[in-house]
Amino acid sequence: MASATTGSVQPKSAPANAAVSGRPRRGSSPRRRREIRAAWGLSAPFIILIAVFMAGPVVASLFMSLTDMRAADLRNPFAVNFTGLDNFVKLFSDPIFGQAALNTVYFVGVGVPLTILVALVVAVALDKGINRFRTFFRVAYYLPVVTSIVAISVVWRFLLQPDNGLINTVLSWVGVAGPDWLKDSFWAMPSLIVMACWRNFGNLMVIFLAGLQAVPRGLLEAAAVDGATGFARFRLITLPLLRPTLLFGGVVTGIGYLQFFEEPMVMTQGGPLNRTLSVSFDVFNQFGFGNYGYAAAMSYVLFLGIVLLTLFQFKLLGRDND
Amino acid sequence: MRSFPTNRRTALGVGLAAGAAALGVGACGRSSGAGPAKQGQPISSGPAKGALTMWAMGTEGDKLPALAREFEKQNPGVKITVTAIPWDSAYDKFTTAVAAKKTPDLAMIGSTWMGALASANGLDPMPPGLIKPADFFPGPMRSTMVGGATYGVPWYAETRVLFYRTDLAAKAGVVPPKTWPELKTFATALRAKGGARFGLALTPGGEGSWNTFMPFAWQAGASITAKDGKTFSLNSPEMVRALDFYRSMYAEKLVPPTQPIGQPVQDFVAGRVGSFVSGPYDMTNLADLGGPGFKQKYALAPLPAGRKSASFAGGGNLAVFVDSKNRDAAWKFVRYLSQPATQVRWYRTSNDLPAVTSSWRDPALANDKYLAVLGQQLTSAQSPPAISTWEQIAKSIDGAVERMARQTQTASAAAAQIQQECQQVGTGV
């Protein structure tokens, strides 16, 4: 963009132009205009695509969040009332949204660290401890990531069944009467967190494995020669070197978990008593009710949450020494 | 680098201009007031002509072409294309089609969606004199009326009744209950003497549980909206009484506290549940699960009455869209489908219960003791108000039903909460 107006054409087109015209390049005005036109022409497809499919919907949803638009207004989308920040004000006195926000914080607060921890432990085990059947384990741990949520929900519902589910059957062997996991207002959320962790840690495991393999062996060997124990080597060498990988894993998992939707959708429908209703699910419901303005406002609050969580993670794990 | 800020300013300018344009038009706001109830335009006489497209869900969509062929025979020159669409995505498909002004000519429409689609100005008001409203069951007929105008014709009806195990009832020495206190003694007896684990099963919350609960509310004399049709009357003493009765069924452990998928039908077949409240569709499920002989072991009974007899009236309506290019022919097909003889034929084709009362005099329906109960219940069955925000109101009631089943709230607190929630949502009128 900048080069086009200052007269220095892109390196790619410069030799081509010179070859065709055979003239030394001048900053003549008609020619410059032609170049500018060509530049715009070449970038037009992308600009149009972005404007129509990305910027357009974003502007539209922002507009929507400031109006009282409902499904019935779709035939005439501009005949709605501009309500300013009313939707956002209303959100903060909406007890169901409050519950959904709390649930989401609970899910992210427990789910993200748990998933990272499990993925890290498994990655270290695969990197160091397990030598036999390594490929088998890698595939096995990754399998849930590529399995359809529908199939997963069927299996997990069987596992979590109150009377004859596998988990409660095993618990009954040691004399514990397990709860009705998905219908119990205390246990429903932990059940979903464990399920989400099981489903997602494979992804992080692969990323962490790559990170672990990038740790220079020489450093570890030198530390070993100096008498550092295995745990000390892990804490003082591996972990600091793994920090960028951990940050990436945390950000990606955090963004995914904040939008947590599929698990309650297929397992609990947000129940019991809205205890597993996530913000995304609430947005989905509100769109379903036709409250487009209100739902759009909710999505922007969720978006703000994602930005804040990501900033927090950068603060926690990002580079602070350079 | 010099040009960059300029470009950014341009982009920002374009964005602001677009936003301002949007807001500028938006500032015009919606037109105030709903205006007088819309009047349907009359349709031409004579046979129907031209091409028609129609959407219908589930079995109806699969089996309707049989009737469409018949109509085409009676009206040479008309051609009907029926598109079957799945129930799950039907509501979204309709709202999208109405918004995009790309609708079929007519469609089968879930009875609780009328309010939303009519308020979106998607439906054509019914032509005057097309049908006689008095020929139809009152509950289903009411579901076609939005804001004083009629936007469709009931096609088939369904309702909620009491399914009970005749063998267990005989063993316990009880007959189907006629009142609320009798329902409790009935459930207690089926458990204590009939050998069932639970005498009765009700829906303990979750989507659609208002279908099971609202009959009790209507029986108590409660109403969802106030007389003006614009505000709610969900915290009435009648509503509290119904919520409290529902809650007491759980508090006294007369009904299963939760309902896993596939229940209570499986438990009913196994004899673990003595009775449950459900609709005619479960007759098919019971036949599938219990085998052909199971029909000897159960019977239907009207729901017990509170202050009066009542149940939930659901089903499918027929409606024509305003964007139809061939509305005269579409309404003529609707008229054909709602004639008593066609309704009987349709029952034989699809097992859908006729919405026209006189069709029930046909021997195919009148001689069936199961259907007789459904037909009797339909005369007192009620529809929820056809308002555009209904789905959200239903969700709020579902929430109260769940809190009653779990006894996390008193009946009066639940009534106050749904009233407050629903008032905030509004009726969309």
Side-chain angles (χ1 to χ4, degrees):
Chain A
M1 205 62 55
S3 53
T5 37
T6 46
S8 64
V9 263
Q10 278 106 336
K12 240 188 182 171
S13 56
N17 267 353
V20 169
S21 61
R23 287 182 310 195
R25 197 162 48 78
R26 284 173 302 155
S28 74
S29 163
R31 187 198 158 106
R32 234 183 81 182
R33 245 180 276 133
R34 231 185 12 251
E35 277 170 358
I36 291 173
R37 233 180 292 138
W40 277 109
L42 287 171
S43 48
F46 308 102
I47 292 176
I48 291 171
L49 277 179
I50 286 178
V52 172
F53 291 106
M54 307 196 64
V58 168
V59 171
S61 69
L62 201 59
F63 164 67
M64 227 152 65
S65 73
L66 302 175
T67 68
D68 60 355
M69 186 186 278
R70 286 186 42 79
D73 298 316
L74 278 182
R75 281 172 81 90
N76 202 355
F78 291 115
V80 291
N81 287 338
F82 181 72
T83 55
L85 295 177
D86 278 10
N87 282 331
F88 294 91
V89 173
K90 209 172 114 195
L91 267 182
F92 287 98
S93 57
D94 179 345
I96 294 176
F97 180 77
Q99 174 85 52
L102 273 183
N103 293 341
T104 309
V105 168
Y106 177 11
F107 183 80
V108 171
V110 179
V112 172
L114 183 72
T115 310
I116 291 180
L117 191 71
V118 171
L120 191 61
V121 167
V122 173
V124 168
L126 282 179
D127 190 50
K128 294 276 151 52
I130 302 169
N131 290 316
R132 304 178 57 152
F133 310 118
R134 184 179 285 178
T135 316
F136 167 78
F137 280 112
R138 241 185 264 175
V139 170
Y141 287 133
Y142 197 72
L143 213 52
V145 179
V146 292
T147 308
S148 149
I149 180 75
V150 181
I152 290 177
S153 75
V154 171
V155 173
W156 275 79
R157 251 194 255 127
F158 271 116
L159 289 178
L160 295 168
Q161 282 223 333
D163 295 335
N164 43 15
L166 184 67
I167 292 173
N168 279 358
T169 308
V170 172
L171 283 178
S172 71
W173 292 342
V174 290
V176 178
D180 185 348
W181 299 96
L182 295 173
K183 294 273 166 72
D184 188 290
S185 49
F186 178 80
W187 285 110
M189 189 55 120
S191 306
L192 291 194
I193 291 176
V194 170
M195 177 181 157
C197 172
W198 174 84
R199 190 176 159 226
N200 291 304
F201 85 85
N203 237 342
L204 282 188
M205 174 199 77
V206 171
I207 295 166
F208 289 164
L209 261 177
L212 284 171
Q213 270 150 25
V215 173
R217 303 281 140 174
L219 275 181
L220 293 170
E221 279 161 18
V225 169
D226 286 348
T229 61
F231 181 70
R233 268 176 289 161
F234 179 74
R235 195 169 62 87
L236 297 169
I237 296 174
T238 311
L239 218 46
L241 283 171
L242 213 54
R243 201 161 66 172
T245 318
L246 284 174
L247 172 65
F248 176 76
V251 168
V252 168
T253 313
I255 291 174
Y257 277 22
L258 262 177
Q259 301 180 60
F260 128 84
F261 172 76
E262 286 172 330
E263 284 84 2
M265 178 73 183
V266 296
M267 301 292 284
T268 58
Q269 288 292 313
L273 300 169
N274 290 334
R275 287 296 154 78
T276 59
L277 183 80
S278 67
V279 173
S280 288
F281 204 150
D282 202 11
V283 171
F284 171 80
N285 281 343
Q286 291 295 338
F287 268 114
F289 294 146
N291 299 327
Y292 291 176
Y294 194 51
M298 266 185 193
S299 330
Y300 275 97
V301 172
L302 178 61
F303 171 70
L304 196 70
I306 292 175
V307 171
L308 288 178
L309 178 75
T310 310
L311 282 179
F312 169 73
Q313 284 171 326
F314 268 94
K315 202 107 202 130
L316 195 72
L317 289 166
R319 276 157 203 257
D320 43 8
N321 43 0
D322 53 7
Chain B
M1 283 315 282
R2 254 181 298 132
S3 65
F4 185 59
T6 331
N7 282 350
R8 189 161 63 174
R9 214 175 298 145
T10 319
L12 196 67
V14 170
L16 283 179
L23 297 182
V25 186
C28 299
R30 40 183 97 244
S31 51
S32 58
K38 289 192 184 112
Q39 283 298 312
Q41 298 301 311
I43 52 170
S44 63
S45 55
K49 284 194 290 286
L52 283 177
T53 53
M54 176 171 184
W55 289 358
M57 288 78 90
T59 337
E60 286 74 20
D62 293 335
K63 299 198 167 156
L64 186 63
L67 288 189
R69 294 297 90 81
E70 200 132 312
F71 183 69
E72 285 170 354
K73 243 180 264 167
Q74 294 175 14
N75 299 268
V78 76
K79 176 91 186 79
I80 300 172
T81 316
V82 178
T83 307
I85 57 175
W87 264 109
D88 288 346
S89 60
Y91 182 73
D92 291 339
K93 266 183 145 33
F94 282 128
T95 45
T96 322
V98 165
K101 307 187 184 183
K102 287 204 167 20
T103 59
D105 292 295
L106 72 161
M108 155 185 167
I109 294 186
S111 61
T112 54
W113 305 342
M114 295 298 285
L117 294 177
S119 319
N121 294 319
L123 302 181
D124 190 36
M126 188 178 76
L130 186 84
I131 49 115
K132 278 210 255 352
D135 291 346
F136 294 81
F137 287 112
M141 195 64 222
R142 201 184 148 214
S143 76
T144 64
M145 292 179 216
V146 184
T150 306
Y151 286 93
V153 176
W155 185 16
Y156 70 86
E158 66 121 337
T159 186
R160 295 290 176 276
V161 291
L162 186 71
F163 287 63
Y164 70 100
R165 286 284 296 253
T166 42
D167 51 347
L168 301 189
K171 207 164 126 197
V174 282
V175 291
K178 297 244 171 356
T179 62
W180 283 8
E182 278 179 38
L183 181 64
K184 279 193 179 174
T185 38
F186 181 73
T188 315
L190 284 182
R191 185 178 58 188
K193 296 183 226 150
R197 202 186 292 169
F198 288 102
L200 176 71
L202 297 170
T203 320
E207 195 171 352
S209 53
W210 64 272
N211 279 342
T212 312
F213 166 71
M214 275 315 292
F216 291 100
W218 284 317
Q219 286 158 15
S223 158
I224 292 171
T225 46
K227 286 234 158 51
D228 62 3
K230 293 191 173 92
T231 53
F232 292 95
S233 54
L234 290 160
N235 58 352
S236 64
E238 292 82 10
M239 192 60 153
V240 174
R241 199 174 309 133
L243 283 166
D244 197 47
F245 178 70
Y246 210 83
R247 189 177 189 272
S248 70
M249 300 303 280
Y250 288 89
E252 294 164 27
K253 305 203 184 325
L254 293 170
V255 289
T258 58
Q259 184 171 293
I261 294 168
Q263 299 295 12
V265 175
Q266 290 170 4
D267 278 348
F268 185 70
V269 169
R272 286 191 292 266
V273 158
S275 63
F276 67 105
V277 174
S278 190
Y281 52 86
D282 263 340
M283 289 170 68
T284 324
N285 292 338
L286 287 174
D288 289 347
L289 216 66
F294 189 69
K295 215 168 178 187
Q296 319 303 324
K297 289 193 186 162
Y298 80 95
L300 308 185
L303 290 181
R307 190 181 285 173
K308 58 183 181 184
S309 166
S311 186
F312 160 69
N317 296 337
L318 295 166
V320 175
F321 291 92
V322 283
D323 295 311
S324 165
K325 302 239 169 18
N326 197 0
R327 73 177 274 279
D328 285 14
W331 280 115
K332 282 172 192 168
F333 187 46
V334 170
R335 184 171 57 193
Y336 166 75
L337 288 176
S338 49
Q339 276 158 7
T342 328
Q343 291 256 305
V344 173
R345 261 189 58 85
W346 182 237
Y347 164 72
R348 293 189 183 173
T349 319
S350 69
N351 274 330
D352 277 348
L353 303 178
V356 178
T357 48
S358 62
S359 301
W360 288 76
R361 278 184 235 120
D362 187 273
L365 288 116
N367 296 342
D368 185 317
K369 63 173 178 160
Y370 295 87
L371 293 183
V373 172
L374 290 164
Q376 183 194 341
Q377 187 77 74
L378 270 170
T379 57
S380 65
Q382 298 193 32
S383 295
I387 51 179
S388 62
T389 51
W390 172 251
E391 299 288 316
Q392 209 166 345
I393 305 307
K395 181 118 183 153
S396 177
I397 299 176
D398 286 346
V401 171
E402 187 181 18
R403 294 192 295 276
M404 291 302 96
R406 289 171 180 267
Q407 301 144 57
T408 56
Q409 208 175 25
T410 63
S412 50
Q417 186 179 333
I418 44 177
Q419 171 72 6
Q420 195 237 336
E421 285 173 3
C422 294
Q423 281 293 67
Q424 202 158 37
V425 171
T427 54
V429 172

